[in-house]
Amino acid sequence: MTHSIAILGASGYTGAELVRLIAGHPSIEIKALSADRKAGQTMAEVFPHLRHLDLPALVKIEEIDFGQIDLCFCALPHKTSQAVISALPRDLKIVDLSADFRLRDPAAYEKWYGNPHAALELQKEAVYGLTEFYRDEIRSARLVAGTGCNAAAGQFALMPLVKAGVIDLDDIIMDLKAAVSGAGRSLKENLLHAELSEGYHGYSMGGTHRHLGEFDQEFTKAAGRDVRVQLTPHLLPANRGILMTCYVRGDAQEIHDTLAKAYADEPFVLTLPFGEAPSTHHVRGSNFCHVGVVADRLPGRAIVVSAIDNLTKGSSGQALQNANLMLGEDETSGLMLAPIFP
Amino acid sequence: MTHSIAILGASGYTGAELVRLIAGHPSIEIKALSADRKAGQTMAEVFPHLRHLDLPALVKIEEIDFGQIDLCFCALPHKTSQAVISALPRDLKIVDLSADFRLRDPAAYEKWYGNPHAALELQKEAVYGLTEFYRDEIRSARLVAGTGCNAAAGQFALMPLVKAGVIDLDDIIMDLKAAVSGAGRSLKENLLHAELSEGYHGYSMGGTHRHLGEFDQEFTKAAGRDVRVQLTPHLLPANRGILMTCYVRGDAQEIHDTLAKAYADEPFVLTLPFGEAPSTHHVRGSNFCHVGVVADRLPGRAIVVSAIDNLTKGSSGQALQNANLMLGEDETSGLMLAPIFP
Amino acid sequence: MTHSIAILGASGYTGAELVRLIAGHPSIEIKALSADRKAGQTMAEVFPHLRHLDLPALVKIEEIDFGQIDLCFCALPHKTSQAVISALPRDLKIVDLSADFRLRDPAAYEKWYGNPHAALELQKEAVYGLTEFYRDEIRSARLVAGTGCNAAAGQFALMPLVKAGVIDLDDIIMDLKAAVSGAGRSLKENLLHAELSEGYHGYSMGGTHRHLGEFDQEFTKAAGRDVRVQLTPHLLPANRGILMTCYVRGDAQEIHDTLAKAYADEPFVLTLPFGEAPSTHHVRGSNFCHVGVVADRLPGRAIVVSAIDNLTKGSSGQALQNANLMLGEDETSGLMLAPIFP
Amino acid sequence: MTHSIAILGASGYTGAELVRLIAGHPSIEIKALSADRKAGQTMAEVFPHLRHLDLPALVKIEEIDFGQIDLCFCALPHKTSQAVISALPRDLKIVDLSADFRLRDPAAYEKWYGNPHAALELQKEAVYGLTEFYRDEIRSARLVAGTGCNAAAGQFALMPLVKAGVIDLDDIIMDLKAAVSGAGRSLKENLLHAELSEGYHGYSMGGTHRHLGEFDQEFTKAAGRDVRVQLTPHLLPANRGILMTCYVRGDAQEIHDTLAKAYADEPFVLTLPFGEAPSTHHVRGSNFCHVGVVADRLPGRAIVVSAIDNLTKGSSGQALQNANLMLGEDETSGLMLAPIFP
């Protein structure tokens, strides 16, 4: 059986990545693609690398007949997303890639995103989309909220440790190295090649990065007590890839064993041998997450590192993984592409 | 039916790329991987991006039981390749990715590669592996010689024009922009990141690049007269991608029409609308070739540009495309991966 | 004696590069910096790499007292530049980095830039700023028009050959590889890191690049007959560097000798040994131009390659070189910085 | 007065960087350059970006007449360096860029470098070369040991804080982002462009990086008690630049004030306004160090970040700064070059 899907906001990087992945999916067909400002153009004009595919032209959202759509991917900016989804049929399955439905607490949403939430009843319904930790809920969900790409990387590194209580919850430091496509196809001076190539720097430092809202929510929920991590993002001269270096206190071997056990049956999250650390080089273009643990020379300290491709496992791959569950398909369908190296 | 294959020289980039592509092939199974110096290691140690795959460990060639192999990919250096293939069973199907069997004329081989050919009878048997132009011969071949990656890019741009006689055969200038992975995983100072990043320069200039042997042979054969092109390669700070800018004399519109017609039914070679030129960005990681034609302001001159990924269409993707034909599989099987962008 | 200068349009890359160079100049002092939209900010806010310098804050042009200024660098966009310069004191020495005063023929200006010229009397007065070929005129000029960066690179490769008549003037093909900073600090999608890194493509192909107006004018003037070259630009993933590969007909050795002789006494233009070609790696951050000549295997054909840093020799370095002449300073003052490698 | 210097090991990146800097020095003249394997070649052959300079050819060390040399820069690998320096005249001023004389304790040297020290009496004489903290000792030293580039970056971030006791000395975490030229011009697979570009990963993790020996020694000495930091290096796709992100406990404002005061009169170390963090983009190619402090949302925690160019302030620029002191020159002579951006 073939499922019909639509992608709203198909002219951004996550939209294009969804098309790339779905192009290889055996039972999903793209029926509609929207892009407000670029409506009327073909996908080949907006993303020439998809030129070989037979795709519907870009249209405005209101031109889409959602009656023929089984599931809708929403790759719109936050705030726009909640307005658009509010107006969609209430029985339409939706995977939202924006930040709008990630946070359960309206006050937290407003704190991190600056505007009150305008679709609170949808927010209640939404399931947090980190497949490995919400698999059952996602399977039966109507509306799944894709996670922040950095939030995904950090949770893959630490969530089983927080749950198992094998690390000190009051001393978690996350040093994030992020590639530029996480910022989208937006025209900002700091995203220009000339500003970014051959150098690096921190940004959103000191506890101001919005993905902290997700860490606070999910780690607190998992621990059954308040957890507040320290997160310092850095922007690196690369297009894809998140490396999350986590400084934790605990027994390194126990930490490794906990992760290895938690991910033993996961198709996409791989725990490296003890003492090895991952590289973004080795997950690029794929839905895989590599996690590694190294003991520090200082007793009682360990470094946990996770690596993902922000556009795939961090965003569009995760979205397809969730859609597979929601549509009753094999979770890995269309997603077993090997990483590209070099 | 599943075909069993071996890859000799699996520790190089083209070997890894073969594994990446075959991992998604529905009816090919990797039975053996060889790597002389790295025999005994696992593929995950040599190429951690393939860690999720269940692959045989690297062995020495002599450890492989070729009786159970249907087809063997040979990704060894030239000269080594002819020696190794000479010792393989004579009924084993082989796709060779080296330069050893590309040139029909032993003297030409010796001229370009510096050593006399040591397997002349195999050389006679070999079919030149540019699928789009030798499809029928490849289907029934036992030994197929994969082409040079740059030679492939140049022939996609010009071969239909040479055959049709719509360009001046005495005035063909090819300006090649090549990424670094074409040089393989070899330890050379000029391939270091610090030597290459943020700059560019010509190399093998003045008619000394070995792929000229292939252009001379193939264009001369197609034209039925001697054709000698001018080729100037440049090394660029990128890992994958060949852009071949060809300066030709002829009617640009006729040139475009000739290419569009020649490639109309090709699954992997796409002719862009007249006046548009391709980008390596839009074929990265894929088996596609984009070809474009632009008319110059100077009457009677046109620019023909082709773009491929050197590791895929230029090498391992081409090899799998040929293997598909030799094994009676659909030519595109395992190869319809969309390019990765960004 | 110390000269006082102003830089109009200091918030762009060429403005910053002027400040970088002048910071090391023994007898030039920066008295005023303008930036329309960023007026009120400090230079350290706009360009933190200049933070260690004691610089005047950015102001609007009308706030500058030009009575205290000996020479004004104008790093504004074309069209804006002619309007601004028209309003400046008529006895103020000016080095303009825009395209507004490069072309002598008003019709040519309008053809290439799309608008009629609004300061024709200034255009008449302007001297074309390629120092090596207009040294005497520049020394006594009031208004010098900095050249296009690509136009500079191409003329360094070919001008002595055009003058000497040692190449076929009807068959000149220039394949340009340009870095991204040549496009300025402008917010365009194709200048984003994610769009540019790891790939390359042609642009302004077919004879539409504006710097052709300069080649037409200067080569025609030098040859005493109409010369029309073919120019195909390519955008590369690097921040600085122009490599101009020129395909010409003539005797390679004679071509080399002609260039070597022409540049024998030039402080900034170096002719490489016969058979060697330059790299942008080796001129980065400097005012040097490297020129090389290679003979092709096809008799009567040669490849002439030049390499410059587009922001230095192609723009701000050239501007300072001209300013030195106009101010009676040593031409090389402040400009002998060695290139940065790696 | 002009000082005559020699550079031993001039064919590596730090050797070339020394030449680049000294080329602009008003009172230092390069009299001899050595390079064992490349003896006989010119510097222009080994480093074409220095082609415009009039330099002595590369020779073997034994060919140098040290009688005419006032100061010798030794840019050789560790272990080689101690052997070579042992054989040099005992009254020759030496700035050593290797690791051989950085550690005061022979046992510490052997622990981190794996071999017993073979020139213990020289080791005793050596002064640790971090100019800002050993200025007086360096001025009168005969043998100065250039610091590790990462060790320099980390000490600029933290040394005044360790001395002032404003941070918790038992909880210092340093996350290092390092560019590839720090590994030198060595032929290693992980330094190839294809292995490094577009990705990143940790290395020498868990407390095994050799520069920890310097941190242990210097911080312990400054604090008057044992200090052991946690250091996790990451290799990034860039040629120059060290970003050291330090996670410390203390009052952020007090930390900032302490640094601002310590560096108030330093010509090369600049403290950014409170709340701002530095970028390697803004120190590239220069001898400047930018230091910034940001308060975290978690009370009592701060992030201190330093940025330097590893080849300049981290190595050759530091070496020249020390040489200036040893020769009685102005400390900043030849070193006030502004950073290159973009």
Side-chain angles (χ1 to χ4, degrees):
Chain A
M1 178 188 155
T2 295
H3 310 281
S4 297
I5 64 96
I7 301 172
L8 310 187
S11 63
Y13 291 147
T14 55
E17 184 75 351
L18 275 168
V19 172
R20 177 175 82 90
L21 296 171
I22 293 173
H25 195 290
S27 54
I28 290 184
E29 189 180 354
I30 299 172
K31 283 284 192 200
L33 297 169
S34 90
D36 221 46
R37 282 176 309 148
K38 299 193 174 171
Q41 296 189 38
T42 65
M43 201 64 176
E45 288 167 320
V46 177
F47 284 116
H49 70 292
L50 301 173
R51 171 188 295 280
H52 64 289
L53 295 171
D54 186 22
L55 294 169
L58 294 167
V59 297
K60 288 181 179 296
I61 294 173
E62 50 268 32
E63 298 176 57
I64 299 177
D65 172 12
F66 286 99
Q68 60 162 347
I69 302 297
D70 298 312
L71 184 146
C72 180
F73 293 97
C74 199
L76 299 166
H78 74 92
K79 205 174 165 186
T80 303
S81 199
Q82 59 190 255
V84 165
I85 293 179
S86 292
L88 293 180
R90 285 300 151 114
D91 57 347
L92 181 64
K93 287 180 200 294
I94 294 171
V95 177
D96 183 36
L97 284 77
S98 87
D100 271 356
F101 300 101
R102 295 171 187 165
L103 300 182
R104 320 256 19 102
D105 176 3
Y109 177 83
E110 187 164 350
K111 173 188 162 194
W112 290 106
Y113 291 93
N115 54 288
H117 204 288
L120 289 178
E121 74 295 354
L122 289 173
Q123 199 188 30
K124 269 178 218 143
E125 182 190 359
V127 172
Y128 190 70
L130 207 57
T131 329
E132 283 71 9
F133 306 122
Y134 286 92
R135 191 168 270 126
D136 291 339
E137 293 90 330
I138 290 166
R139 200 171 269 125
S140 58
R142 185 187 78 85
L143 169 57
V144 169
T147 75
C149 52
N150 304 314
Q155 290 178 68
F156 287 130
L158 298 185
M159 182 58 84
L161 310 177
V162 171
K163 282 187 182 166
V166 298
I167 56 172
D168 180 347
L169 297 177
D170 293 318
D171 198 1
I172 298 174
I173 293 179
M174 307 172 89
D175 188 284
L176 164 64
K177 290 100 183 156
V180 67
S181 66
R185 206 179 201 181
S186 44
L187 297 183
K188 294 181 188 156
E189 194 172 273
N190 69 318
L191 306 182
L192 294 175
H193 187 281
E195 304 281 325
L196 192 54
S197 163
E198 286 292 307
Y200 23 95
H201 56 83
Y203 70 98
S204 298
M205 293 174 70
T208 63
H209 193 288
R210 287 166 162 178
H211 291 183
L212 274 170
E214 295 175 58
F215 287 126
D216 289 354
Q217 168 180 293
E218 296 300 314
F219 286 159
T220 292
K221 184 178 160 198
R225 51 153 283 193
D226 243 35
V227 179
R228 292 287 176 274
V229 302
Q230 189 175 356
L231 173 70
T232 306
H234 301 80
L235 187 58
L236 265 54
N239 288 341
R240 289 171 176 250
I242 291 173
L243 195 76
M244 189 70 91
T245 309
C246 304
Y247 299 96
V248 296
R249 306 235 178 189
D251 180 76
Q253 186 67 59
E254 185 183 22
I255 287 169
H256 182 265
D257 294 349
T258 303
L259 290 170
K261 195 174 158 197
Y263 297 132
D265 296 325
E266 288 297 339
F268 295 118
V269 186
L270 280 65
T271 311
L272 307 193
F274 183 62
E276 290 185 24
S279 168
T280 63
H281 287 290
H282 301 140
V283 295
R284 186 167 50 221
S286 84
N287 204 49
F288 293 98
C289 173
H290 290 186
V291 179
V293 180
V294 179
D296 197 72
R297 65 168 185 163
L298 301 184
R301 300 201 193 187
I303 307 117
V304 186
V305 188
S306 62
I308 62 170
D309 182 320
N310 54 295
L311 286 180
T312 318
K313 188 60 175 161
S315 187
S316 302
Q318 180 200 87
L320 180 55
Q321 194 177 348
N322 289 333
N324 279 334
L325 289 173
M326 295 162 79
L327 293 169
E329 294 292 320
D330 184 330
E331 185 180 326
T332 67
S333 199
L335 288 168
M336 292 305 290
L337 299 175
I340 291 213
F341 177 84
Chain B
M1 177 188 154
T2 295
H3 310 281
S4 297
I5 64 98
I7 301 173
L8 311 186
S11 63
Y13 292 146
T14 55
E17 183 77 350
L18 275 168
V19 173
R20 178 176 82 91
L21 296 171
I22 293 173
H25 195 291
S27 53
I28 291 184
E29 191 180 353
I30 299 172
K31 284 283 192 199
L33 297 168
S34 90
D36 222 44
R37 282 176 309 148
K38 300 193 175 172
Q41 297 188 38
T42 65
M43 202 63 175
E45 287 168 319
V46 178
F47 285 115
H49 70 293
L50 301 173
R51 172 187 293 281
H52 65 290
L53 295 172
D54 185 22
L55 294 168
L58 294 167
V59 298
K60 288 184 180 293
I61 294 172
E62 50 269 33
E63 299 176 56
I64 299 177
D65 171 11
F66 286 99
Q68 59 162 349
I69 303 295
D70 298 312
L71 184 144
C72 179
F73 293 97
C74 198
L76 299 165
H78 75 93
K79 207 173 163 188
T80 303
S81 199
Q82 56 190 258
V84 165
I85 293 178
S86 292
L88 294 179
R90 285 301 150 113
D91 58 347
L92 180 65
K93 288 179 199 293
I94 295 171
V95 178
D96 183 36
L97 283 77
S98 87
D100 271 356
F101 299 101
R102 294 171 187 166
L103 300 182
R104 319 254 23 100
D105 177 3
Y109 177 83
E110 186 165 351
K111 173 187 163 195
W112 290 106
Y113 291 92
N115 53 290
H117 204 288
L120 289 177
E121 74 297 353
L122 288 172
Q123 198 188 30
K124 268 177 219 143
E125 182 189 1
V127 172
Y128 189 71
L130 207 57
T131 330
E132 284 71 11
F133 306 123
Y134 286 92
R135 191 169 270 126
D136 291 340
E137 294 89 331
I138 290 166
R139 199 171 270 125
S140 57
R142 183 187 79 86
L143 170 57
V144 169
T147 75
C149 52
N150 304 313
Q155 289 178 69
F156 287 130
L158 298 184
M159 183 56 85
L161 309 177
V162 171
K163 281 187 181 165
V166 298
I167 56 171
D168 181 346
L169 297 178
D170 294 319
D171 198 0
I172 297 174
I173 292 178
M174 306 172 89
D175 188 284
L176 164 64
K177 289 103 184 155
V180 69
S181 67
R185 206 178 201 181
S186 44
L187 297 183
K188 294 182 187 157
E189 192 173 274
N190 68 319
L191 306 182
L192 294 175
H193 187 279
E195 304 281 324
L196 191 54
S197 164
E198 286 291 307
Y200 22 96
H201 56 83
Y203 70 98
S204 297
M205 292 175 70
T208 62
H209 194 288
R210 287 166 163 178
H211 291 182
L212 274 169
E214 295 175 60
F215 286 125
D216 290 354
Q217 169 181 292
E218 296 300 313
F219 286 159
T220 293
K221 184 178 163 199
R225 49 152 284 194
D226 243 36
V227 179
R228 292 288 177 273
V229 302
Q230 190 175 356
L231 173 71
T232 305
H234 301 79
L235 187 58
L236 265 54
N239 289 341
R240 291 170 175 250
I242 292 173
L243 194 76
M244 189 69 91
T245 309
C246 304
Y247 298 95
V248 296
R249 307 236 178 188
D251 180 78
Q253 186 66 58
E254 185 182 21
I255 287 170
H256 183 266
D257 294 349
T258 303
L259 290 169
K261 196 175 156 195
Y263 296 133
D265 297 325
E266 287 298 340
F268 294 118
V269 187
L270 279 65
T271 311
L272 307 193
F274 184 61
E276 291 185 22
S279 168
T280 62
H281 287 291
H282 302 140
V283 295
R284 185 167 49 221
S286 84
N287 203 48
F288 294 97
C289 172
H290 289 185
V291 179
V293 180
V294 179
D296 197 72
R297 66 167 185 165
L298 301 183
R301 301 202 193 185
I303 306 116
V304 186
V305 188
S306 61
I308 62 170
D309 182 319
N310 54 296
L311 286 180
T312 319
K313 188 60 175 162
S315 187
S316 301
Q318 180 199 87
L320 179 54
Q321 194 178 349
N322 289 334
N324 278 334
L325 289 173
M326 295 162 78
L327 294 168
E329 293 293 319
D330 183 330
E331 184 180 328
T332 66
S333 199
L335 288 168
M336 292 305 289
L337 299 177
I340 290 213
F341 176 85
Chain C
M1 177 187 153
T2 294
H3 311 280
S4 298
I5 65 97
I7 301 173
L8 310 187
S11 64
Y13 291 145
T14 55
E17 183 76 350
L18 275 168
V19 172
R20 178 176 81 91
L21 297 171
I22 293 171
H25 196 289
S27 54
I28 291 185
E29 190 181 353
I30 300 173
K31 284 282 193 201
L33 297 168
S34 90
D36 222 44
R37 282 176 309 149
K38 300 192 173 171
Q41 297 188 38
T42 65
M43 201 64 175
E45 289 168 319
V46 177
F47 284 115
H49 71 292
L50 301 173
R51 171 186 296 279
H52 63 290
L53 295 172
D54 185 22
L55 294 168
L58 295 166
V59 297
K60 288 184 179 294
I61 294 173
E62 49 268 33
E63 299 175 57
I64 300 176
D65 171 12
F66 287 97
Q68 59 164 347
I69 303 296
D70 297 313
L71 183 145
C72 179
F73 293 97
C74 198
L76 299 164
H78 74 93
K79 206 173 163 185
T80 302
S81 198
Q82 59 190 256
V84 165
I85 294 178
S86 292
L88 293 179
R90 285 301 150 113
D91 57 348
L92 180 65
K93 288 181 199 292
I94 295 171
V95 177
D96 183 36
L97 283 77
S98 86
D100 271 356
F101 300 101
R102 295 171 187 165
L103 301 182
R104 322 257 16 105
D105 176 3
Y109 178 83
E110 186 165 350
K111 173 187 162 194
W112 288 106
Y113 292 92
N115 53 287
H117 204 289
L120 288 178
E121 76 294 354
L122 288 172
Q123 199 187 30
K124 268 177 218 142
E125 182 190 359
V127 172
Y128 189 71
L130 208 56
T131 330
E132 283 72 9
F133 306 123
Y134 286 92
R135 191 169 270 126
D136 290 340
E137 294 89 332
I138 290 165
R139 200 171 269 124
S140 58
R142 185 188 78 87
L143 169 57
V144 168
T147 75
C149 52
N150 304 313
Q155 290 178 69
F156 286 130
L158 298 184
M159 182 57 85
L161 309 177
V162 170
K163 281 186 181 164
V166 298
I167 57 171
D168 181 346
L169 297 178
D170 294 318
D171 198 1
I172 298 174
I173 292 178
M174 306 172 90
D175 188 283
L176 165 63
K177 290 102 184 155
V180 68
S181 67
R185 206 179 201 181
S186 44
L187 297 183
K188 293 181 187 158
E189 193 173 275
N190 68 318
L191 306 183
L192 294 175
H193 187 280
E195 305 280 324
L196 191 55
S197 164
E198 285 292 306
Y200 23 95
H201 56 83
Y203 70 99
S204 297
M205 293 175 69
T208 62
H209 193 289
R210 285 165 164 180
H211 292 180
L212 274 169
E214 294 175 59
F215 287 125
D216 290 354
Q217 168 180 293
E218 295 301 313
F219 286 159
T220 291
K221 184 178 161 199
R225 50 152 285 192
D226 243 37
V227 178
R228 292 288 176 273
V229 302
Q230 188 175 355
L231 173 70
T232 306
H234 300 79
L235 187 58
L236 265 54
N239 288 341
R240 289 170 176 252
I242 292 173
L243 194 76
M244 188 71 90
T245 310
C246 304
Y247 298 96
V248 297
R249 308 234 178 189
D251 180 77
Q253 187 67 60
E254 186 182 21
I255 286 170
H256 182 265
D257 294 349
T258 303
L259 290 169
K261 195 174 157 196
Y263 297 132
D265 297 326
E266 287 297 340
F268 295 118
V269 186
L270 279 66
T271 310
L272 307 193
F274 183 61
E276 291 184 23
S279 168
T280 62
H281 287 290
H282 302 140
V283 295
R284 186 167 49 222
S286 84
N287 204 48
F288 293 97
C289 172
H290 289 185
V291 180
V293 180
V294 179
D296 196 73
R297 64 168 185 164
L298 301 183
R301 300 201 194 187
I303 306 116
V304 186
V305 188
S306 62
I308 62 169
D309 181 320
N310 54 295
L311 286 180
T312 318
K313 188 61 176 160
S315 187
S316 301
Q318 179 200 89
L320 180 55
Q321 194 178 349
N322 288 334
N324 279 333
L325 290 174
M326 295 162 79
L327 294 167
E329 294 292 319
D330 183 329
E331 185 180 327
T332 67
S333 199
L335 288 168
M336 291 306 288
L337 300 176
I340 289 212
F341 176 85
Chain D
M1 177 187 153
T2 295
H3 311 280
S4 297
I5 64 98
I7 300 173
L8 310 187
S11 63
Y13 291 147
T14 54
E17 184 76 350
L18 275 169
V19 173
R20 178 176 81 90
L21 297 171
I22 293 173
H25 196 291
S27 54
I28 291 184
E29 191 181 353
I30 299 173
K31 283 283 192 201
L33 298 168
S34 90
D36 221 46
R37 282 176 309 147
K38 300 193 174 173
Q41 297 188 39
T42 65
M43 201 65 175
E45 288 167 320
V46 177
F47 285 116
H49 70 293
L50 300 173
R51 171 187 295 280
H52 65 288
L53 295 171
D54 186 22
L55 294 168
L58 295 167
V59 297
K60 289 184 179 293
I61 294 172
E62 51 269 32
E63 299 175 58
I64 299 177
D65 171 12
F66 286 98
Q68 60 162 348
I69 303 295
D70 299 311
L71 184 145
C72 179
F73 294 96
C74 199
L76 298 165
H78 74 93
K79 207 173 164 187
T80 303
S81 199
Q82 58 191 256
V84 165
I85 293 178
S86 292
L88 293 180
R90 287 298 149 115
D91 58 346
L92 181 65
K93 289 180 199 293
I94 295 171
V95 177
D96 183 36
L97 285 76
S98 87
D100 271 356
F101 300 101
R102 295 171 187 166
L103 300 182
R104 319 257 20 103
D105 176 3
Y109 178 83
E110 186 165 351
K111 173 187 162 195
W112 289 107
Y113 291 94
N115 53 288
H117 204 289
L120 289 177
E121 75 295 354
L122 288 173
Q123 199 188 29
K124 269 176 219 143
E125 179 189 4
V127 172
Y128 189 70
L130 207 56
T131 331
E132 283 73 9
F133 307 122
Y134 286 92
R135 191 168 270 124
D136 290 340
E137 294 89 331
I138 290 166
R139 200 171 269 125
S140 57
R142 184 187 79 85
L143 169 57
V144 169
T147 76
C149 52
N150 304 313
Q155 290 177 70
F156 288 130
L158 298 184
M159 182 57 85
L161 309 177
V162 171
K163 282 185 182 166
V166 298
I167 57 172
D168 180 346
L169 296 178
D170 293 318
D171 198 1
I172 298 174
I173 293 178
M174 307 172 90
D175 188 283
L176 164 63
K177 291 100 184 156
V180 68
S181 66
R185 205 179 201 180
S186 44
L187 297 183
K188 295 183 186 156
E189 193 173 273
N190 68 319
L191 306 182
L192 295 175
H193 187 280
E195 305 281 323
L196 192 54
S197 163
E198 286 290 307
Y200 23 96
H201 56 83
Y203 71 97
S204 297
M205 292 174 71
T208 62
H209 194 288
R210 287 166 163 178
H211 291 181
L212 274 169
E214 295 175 59
F215 286 125
D216 290 353
Q217 168 180 294
E218 295 301 314
F219 286 159
T220 292
K221 183 177 162 199
R225 50 153 284 194
D226 242 36
V227 179
R228 292 288 177 273
V229 302
Q230 189 175 355
L231 173 70
T232 306
H234 300 79
L235 187 57
L236 265 53
N239 288 341
R240 290 170 176 251
I242 292 174
L243 195 76
M244 189 69 91
T245 309
C246 304
Y247 298 96
V248 297
R249 307 235 176 189
D251 180 77
Q253 185 68 58
E254 186 182 22
I255 287 170
H256 182 265
D257 293 349
T258 303
L259 290 169
K261 196 173 157 198
Y263 297 133
D265 296 326
E266 288 297 339
F268 294 119
V269 187
L270 280 65
T271 311
L272 307 193
F274 183 60
E276 290 185 23
S279 168
T280 63
H281 287 291
H282 302 139
V283 295
R284 186 168 48 222
S286 85
N287 203 49
F288 294 98
C289 172
H290 289 185
V291 179
V293 179
V294 179
D296 196 72
R297 64 168 186 165
L298 301 183
R301 300 201 194 187
I303 306 116
V304 186
V305 189
S306 62
I308 63 169
D309 182 320
N310 54 295
L311 286 180
T312 318
K313 188 60 174 161
S315 187
S316 302
Q318 180 198 88
L320 180 54
Q321 193 177 349
N322 289 334
N324 279 334
L325 290 173
M326 295 162 79
L327 293 168
E329 293 292 320
D330 183 331
E331 184 180 327
T332 67
S333 200
L335 288 168
M336 292 305 290
L337 298 176
I340 290 214
F341 176 85

